[in-house]
Amino acid sequence: MMARNDTIAAISTPVGMGGIGIIRISGPQALAVGAKLIGSDTQAFSRRPTHTLFRTHVCDPLTVGWSINALFR
């Protein structure tokens, strides 16, 4: 059973080939995890306004390349 203070990540796209992949991250460490995924500093990531989209390189551009990130608080 998960505690209310757990940080979770879940793949939100169906199995198989597709044009996009969506990962949802929620919980108290979500900003830190999201920042690490895109190779950003947690403070810079957390200064982004809520309910916005922004494009960044992912940590490993050979695997994914670009990401479109949505931040909701």
Side-chain angles (χ1 to χ4, degrees):
M1 186 171 179
M2 289 178 31
R4 290 189 183 269
N5 61 349
D6 284 347
T7 297
I8 61 169
I11 298 172
S12 301
T13 46
V15 176
M17 293 181 64
I20 65 167
I22 298 172
I23 302 170
R24 179 181 178 194
I25 307 165
S26 60
Q29 296 298 315
L31 286 174
V33 173
K36 189 169 186 169
L37 280 173
I38 64 170
S40 177
D41 156 304
T42 303
Q43 288 183 346
F45 190 69
S46 68
R47 284 193 298 268
R48 299 273 185 177
T50 188
H51 294 80
T52 58
L53 296 174
F54 54 99
R55 186 178 93 155
T56 60
H57 262 120
V58 181
C59 290
D60 183 358
L62 297 175
T63 303
V64 178
W66 291 95
S67 69
I68 297 176
N69 310 281
L71 180 62
F72 298 96
R73 290 192 182 91

